[in-house]
Amino acid sequence: MSAVPISAAEILARTGEALIRHHCAFKFARTIDRVAELVSTHHDRTGAGKFITAYPDNDEHFALVAQELDWATDGFPGPEILSDRPYRLQSLVHYRYGAFAGVPVLTNDGDYESMLVAPDGSLEKDERGVCFSPPRWTTPPPSPGARTVQPILTAPNEVLLGSRFVVSKAIRHANRGGVYRGFDRTTTLPVVIKQARPHIGSTLFGSDVCDALRHEANLLDRFSQLGIAPRKIALFEQQKNVFLAEELIEGTTLRTWVLQRVDRANGLAGADALGAITKLVDLLVSVHGEGYVCRDLNPDNVMVDHRGQLRLIDLELLAQPHEHVVSAFTVGYGAPEQVAVPTLSPAFTADLFSLGATIFFTVTGIDPVLALDRGGIRLVRDRMAAWLELISADYSIAWRLTPLILGLMDDEPNLRWNLRRVRAFLTDQRLTAENCGAVSTRQQTRLSFDHQRRLISDGLAYLLKTMTRQPAPHAGMWKPADNHMNSDPCNVQHGAAGVLAVLTRASQTLKETGLIDAVRAVAHWIDQRWPAEQRILPGLYFGRSGTAWALYDAARTIGDDELADRAVQLAKRVPVLWPNPDICHGAAGAGMTQLYLLHMTGDPSFRDRARQCADGLVSAAERHARGVVWRIPVGFESELAGLAHYGFAHGIAGVGSFLLAAGLALNRLDYIDVARAAGATLREAAEVSDEAAWWPSGENEPNESSRLTHWCSGSSGVGAFLIRLWLATGDQETCELTKKAAVAVRRNKWHSSPIACHGLAGDGEFLLDLADAVGERCYRGWAEELASCIFVRSTLRDGKLLTPDESNMDVTPEYGTGLAGVLGFFLRLCHGGSRLWMADAWNALSN
């Protein structure tokens, strides 16, 4: 049953009585806020609107319950549930064939999926799409008046809307409805068509996105006359949905315009930046002159047309000050008073804060997102000042415009610069395009040792404090990020093994009793928990190879020989032949663990298993004139099937690293030769420009559109392999390319999140690798610069200074995408030691 906030309590009362009387199990959203979230514009379309879910015993029970629920909710408002079929036209009661308590199955990618049991006993994925799609072996139960509701827009066929507008392309889909590109048959001109689904975004005042779209249509009539917004063409309804057709503005969003021009090493060119900022101010003057507050001024809501003029798009949030409104703002761009009082339209001064944030993005290409402090609040202005102080060492334009940005982003609304003062600053004769675009001569302040140690101690304290078994199915010792809830709780990437490895390293380094106790607790929990999953995946980060590695190191640290033996036995159960060749999910990851335990234990069976793994990968290599490629097979059940990557996590760099290590450890020149061929492939794929080297994700992506710099895909992951290849072969060209990869990593430091997988911590590990290998201190200095970039985005949580995860907004414990991986980098930066998860025990990088 669907519902909206204003009707949810009455619907629950009516349906709950019927469900209890008929002994039908059910669940429901517990709060009005949760109901509002379920019908919000940003909610996932596949689950939106599901206020109550009931679980009938059989077809007869279904027919009885569904009919009574339909009677009980007749006439109440609620959105259509896209994944289900309505009991009858416009009914709030919907149904689908799905799992009540599905069979959880661990996929080849290391996530649990809920599966249905087919009549023949086979398992089938419980699909939840945006249309009713029962399994092929089911017959939906009959219900009066039921019919399949056809979606209004079905690609790729062209669809006619309003008897006038032909839809040719979907720009985006969302719970609120789609945005489409098409043309007007009356005028033959191109148009943009926005859709609003009834009852989505519904409020306690009874309004929804349909009202918002009508509001936007009225505003277009007003602001298009000023030349700062698209022209409204038509507002109409079709199948209860509201549509707005408006003029198509040829151009790009301000975000795209900036990212196409910004130099990641120096920021946006002075002339481009000053021109865009001046036009932004003019735009805001026009809006305020009409008595409206934008409420959501940001780079995505401003278009740069083909003449270089700025136009406002998505005007639905514009409101007059102090009106009752639906909460809406973009994180990083919303003024503090908007966040504090989200249901009241703010004063004009709120737009000044958003203007400052948009200017920051315009000159840097970076969203000004800072995770909210909790318990010990720092001023936004002070945090932005610290950020600008650091970034100004690279971006001269940021230094020149710091007074403007901070003047606009003051926490106190009455202290923000007004638009008159902003214009005076921009027209000051001392502010020129030349001095804004000059190369900065300032030096970036490196993070002090005390600050590094605080991040380590506070981060470790947070991990220990939050260490508790979660109640959800397949839950781990720590609560993962929402989008990783279904991940294996014992793996390295998102589970307890990655955190355990960092706690083990910290306990070895810091010698604190509390850390030793935590290592013991986590190791024993993993040891007891992992056998519950009978399926053994090979990967180092998403499989049991990393679990075994972490358990073995922990066992040695706490002196538990029996646990170490069990870790060894687990490693011997890991498949070393596997269709996926990569480090994260596949055979190369398994091989790394076999080599590591061979070195640590001397057990000859690990030698045999490592050789078997390497032989399998050599056989799986696709040989080309440019070198070798490893492809994840097309028929393999994986999200990565068919891909041939260059990076460390899923591609050539990771496989090449294992084969190189295997060749050195097993004295096999043929493995080293294949690793050389992998290096040749990566040299060929590199895009080198201005002494920096980047790589795309894979072989089918053009280099110019894929300048990646991280461990999983890009310069730091490829560089981690190349520097080891240079140490083994002495090839100077490989060494020089590795140094160019380091330049790319350094230049991208302001555009990365703090994490290990695709962020600064993983990039910093590569720079420390390079510093250890070549003995040039500058690379350690660059790693310290990255540490400063991480520190400036840290957040206070109950007095603890913590680094956010890949979202830059939340703190989560995971190794690959959260806090633990960052702590691993800082432990190495402060106290030295080898890199985690690399079989480097016998080469120069371990010294």
Side-chain angles (χ1 to χ4, degrees):
M1 278 71 71
S2 67
V4 295
I6 200 170
S7 65
E10 181 65 21
I11 288 176
L12 179 60
R14 288 169 173 253
T15 58
E17 185 276 331
L19 289 163
I20 291 170
R21 178 161 36 84
H22 289 293
H23 304 284
C24 183
F26 68 99
K27 65 181 180 181
F28 60 93
R30 291 192 295 177
T31 66
I32 294 297
D33 286 344
R34 176 57 179 157
V35 177
E37 183 182 339
L38 287 170
V39 298
S40 64
T41 58
H42 62 266
H43 198 282
D44 178 39
R45 294 186 296 156
T46 61
K50 296 183 179 182
F51 170 47
I52 300 173
T53 302
Y55 302 94
D57 296 333
N58 49 49
D59 284 3
E60 292 74 21
H61 199 205
F62 161 83
L64 178 65
V65 170
Q67 183 180 65
E68 187 159 341
L69 294 177
D70 182 56
W71 289 342
T73 58
D74 187 25
F76 281 86
E80 179 185 350
I81 297 173
L82 297 179
S83 62
D84 296 15
R85 173 182 285 179
Y87 180 72
R88 62 174 175 79
L89 198 59
Q90 298 182 27
S91 175
L92 297 191
V93 180
H94 301 70
Y95 61 84
R96 61 181 292 268
Y97 192 101
F100 287 15
V103 178
V105 172
L106 187 65
T107 69
N108 290 327
D109 294 332
D111 294 320
Y112 283 98
E113 285 187 347
S114 179
M115 307 293 280
L116 295 165
V117 181
D120 62 2
S122 63
L123 298 179
E124 185 170 326
K125 185 176 179 181
D126 186 6
E127 297 284 357
R128 295 175 177 86
V130 293
C131 61
F132 182 64
S133 55
R136 62 188 182 280
W137 36 265
T138 62
T139 301
S143 55
R147 67 178 182 84
T148 302
V149 178
Q150 295 296 330
I152 291 172
L153 301 165
T154 54
N157 297 325
E158 289 186 341
V159 174
L160 184 65
L161 293 175
S163 303
R164 176 178 174 183
F165 303 102
V166 176
V167 174
S168 56
K169 177 183 179 182
I171 297 173
R172 65 175 178 269
H173 290 290
N175 193 33
R176 65 177 303 127
V179 178
Y180 308 96
R181 185 167 182 160
F183 69 91
D184 183 349
R185 292 204 306 186
T186 303
T187 65
T188 71
L189 294 176
V191 294
V192 169
I193 307 161
K194 297 180 178 179
Q195 175 191 11
R197 294 176 58 219
H199 307 303
I200 299 299
S202 186
T203 71
L204 288 172
F205 301 107
S207 63
D208 62 12
V209 292
C210 295
D211 299 302
L213 196 59
R214 293 185 184 99
H215 173 66
E216 180 173 5
N218 292 333
L219 291 175
L220 288 182
D221 286 336
R222 184 168 193 160
F223 285 99
S224 63
Q225 296 178 14
L226 303 178
I228 63 170
R231 180 173 54 86
K232 184 187 83 176
I233 298 174
L235 179 71
F236 58 95
E237 290 189 21
Q238 184 166 323
Q239 296 184 11
K240 303 295 184 180
N241 292 254
V242 177
F243 293 89
L244 171 62
E246 60 185 53
E247 170 193 10
L248 173 68
I249 298 174
E250 296 290 354
T252 63
T253 63
L254 179 61
R255 175 179 299 279
T256 300
W257 185 87
V258 169
L259 295 179
Q260 288 174 343
R261 290 164 175 76
V262 71
D263 182 338
R264 296 200 166 197
N266 301 302
L268 193 64
D272 286 341
L274 293 179
I277 293 168
T278 300
K279 292 170 184 176
L280 273 172
V281 173
D282 291 343
L283 200 63
L284 202 52
V285 168
S286 297
V287 174
H288 288 185
E290 294 294 310
Y292 283 86
V293 183
C294 288
R295 293 207 299 137
D296 195 25
L297 180 66
N298 70 75
D300 292 309
N301 286 346
V302 177
M303 288 287 290
V304 183
D305 67 21
H306 64 282
R307 297 173 299 151
Q309 299 304 306
L310 301 191
R311 312 272 291 278
L312 272 182
I313 56 174
D314 296 334
L315 277 65
E316 65 185 69
L317 296 181
L318 267 66
Q320 294 178 329
H322 313 304
E323 283 187 80
H324 285 288
V325 293
V326 178
S327 174
F329 55 84
T330 298
V331 175
Y333 295 86
E337 63 269 26
Q338 285 180 270
V339 179
V341 189
T343 59
L344 197 65
S345 179
F348 297 114
T349 48
D351 282 348
L352 299 176
F353 184 96
S354 302
L355 175 63
T358 304
I359 291 173
F360 178 87
F361 175 84
T362 301
V363 300
T364 63
I366 305 166
D367 287 302
V369 175
L370 292 168
L372 291 177
D373 287 343
R374 296 175 189 164
I377 306 300
R378 297 170 292 174
L379 293 176
V380 173
R381 187 187 191 281
D382 292 344
R383 298 177 73 186
M384 290 299 301
W387 197 351
L388 284 162
E389 174 68 23
L390 283 176
I391 205 169
S392 293
D394 296 312
Y395 293 12
S396 177
I397 188 167
W399 175 57
R400 297 285 182 181
L401 296 180
T402 289
L404 171 62
I405 295 169
L406 296 181
L408 288 167
M409 297 187 72
D410 202 293
D411 296 69
E412 174 54 51
N414 293 332
L415 295 181
R416 292 174 195 149
W417 287 14
N418 60 37
L419 295 177
R420 187 181 304 107
R421 186 173 180 183
V422 172
R423 276 181 162 167
F425 179 87
L426 293 172
T427 56
D428 190 313
Q429 292 183 352
R430 291 169 294 181
L431 189 72
T432 65
E434 288 73 21
N435 60 36
C436 282
V439 176
S440 177
T441 58
R442 298 161 59 82
Q443 294 296 313
Q444 180 175 322
T445 303
R446 293 176 182 171
L447 192 62
S448 70
F449 189 66
D450 287 343
H451 281 145
Q452 293 179 33
R453 287 192 300 182
R454 182 182 178 187
L455 283 178
I456 293 172
S457 62
D458 285 3
L460 292 171
Y462 174 85
L463 291 178
L464 268 56
K465 181 180 178 180
T466 56
M467 186 175 68
T468 176
R469 183 185 176 93
Q470 300 298 314
H474 311 297
M477 293 201 74
W478 287 270
K479 182 181 179 181
D482 288 345
N483 57 331
H484 302 145
M485 293 295 288
N486 293 325
S487 186
D488 171 17
C490 295
N491 69 22
V492 167
Q493 184 77 354
H494 304 305
V499 183
L500 175 60
V502 173
L503 292 176
T504 301
R505 175 65 60 86
S507 68
Q508 294 168 347
T509 302
L510 304 178
K511 310 296 184 184
E512 296 177 5
T513 302
L515 290 172
I516 294 290
D517 292 341
V519 169
R520 183 176 294 107
V522 179
H524 286 161
W525 180 87
I526 295 176
D527 184 43
Q528 294 170 2
R529 174 65 182 79
W530 76 259
E533 174 52 64
Q534 296 298 310
R535 190 160 191 243
I536 304 292
L537 297 177
L540 182 55
Y541 284 77
F542 287 86
R544 285 289 175 260
S545 291
T547 308
W549 189 325
L551 279 176
Y552 181 82
D553 282 351
R556 292 177 61 248
T557 299
I558 61 178
D560 190 332
D561 293 339
E562 291 183 357
L563 178 61
D565 288 342
R566 288 195 295 275
V568 166
Q569 294 308 310
L570 172 58
K572 290 180 179 180
R573 292 180 59 189
V574 168
V576 293
L577 297 176
W578 195 254
N580 183 337
D582 75 19
I583 285 284
C584 270
H585 298 92
M592 281 289 198
T593 296
Q594 306 303 307
L595 289 178
Y596 178 71
L597 290 177
L598 169 63
H599 177 76
M600 298 302 293
T601 68
D603 186 335
S605 65
F606 284 121
R607 177 182 299 275
D608 294 338
R609 288 170 59 80
R611 183 184 299 113
Q612 184 182 10
C613 181
D615 287 343
L617 288 169
V618 169
S619 298
E622 296 180 10
R623 300 175 186 273
H624 303 286
R626 63 182 185 276
V628 294
V629 170
W630 283 271
R631 190 179 309 280
I632 300 170
V634 173
F636 187 56
E637 291 188 7
S638 167
E639 295 288 334
L640 303 169
L643 296 179
H645 277 251
Y646 292 128
F648 202 99
H650 307 297
I652 295 172
V655 179
S657 291
F658 163 65
L659 287 175
L660 178 65
L664 295 171
L666 307 178
N667 195 27
R668 288 287 297 267
L669 293 179
D670 55 333
Y671 298 163
I672 296 175
D673 286 342
V674 178
R676 284 177 181 268
T681 303
L682 293 171
R683 286 194 297 271
E684 179 71 22
E687 179 186 354
V688 179
S689 174
D690 192 22
E691 296 302 309
W694 296 269
W695 281 263
S697 175
E699 64 175 358
N700 295 323
E701 298 182 30
N703 289 3
E704 60 271 12
S705 64
S706 308
R707 288 188 165 190
L708 304 179
T709 59
H710 300 310
W711 170 83
C712 57
S713 292
S715 305
S716 68
V718 172
F721 165 53
L722 292 181
I723 196 60
R724 288 163 171 79
L725 185 63
W726 170 70
L727 286 171
T729 65
D731 181 76
Q732 196 59 32
E733 182 182 352
T734 300
C735 181
E736 293 306 313
L737 186 59
T738 308
K739 292 180 178 181
K740 289 180 171 65
V743 172
V745 165
R746 187 192 188 202
R747 289 179 182 172
N748 196 57
K749 63 178 182 273
W750 292 114
H751 296 260
S752 304
S753 67
I755 65 171
C757 180
H758 40 273
L760 295 168
D763 296 346
E765 294 272 16
F766 159 59
L767 293 174
L768 292 177
D769 285 352
L770 189 55
D772 290 345
V774 302
E776 296 179 20
R777 180 164 177 79
C778 71
Y779 297 114
R780 179 178 177 83
W782 292 4
E784 290 170 350
E785 290 179 4
L786 268 59
S788 294
C789 297
I790 293 173
F791 180 82
V792 80
R793 289 206 180 196
S794 57
T795 177
L796 278 173
R797 299 290 168 94
D798 298 323
K800 298 288 190 291
L801 201 61
L802 307 172
T803 57
D805 60 15
E806 60 186 334
S807 71
N808 286 316
M809 294 186 288
D810 296 320
V811 178
T812 50
E814 297 138 272
Y815 181 85
T817 55
L819 178 62
V822 179
L823 293 178
F825 163 60
F826 273 99
L827 282 166
R828 186 180 176 199
L829 183 66
C830 281
H831 303 288
S834 60
R835 184 171 182 173
L836 290 173
W837 317 116
M838 294 294 289
D840 286 332
W842 48 79
N843 67 36
L845 284 173
S846 66
N847 299 324

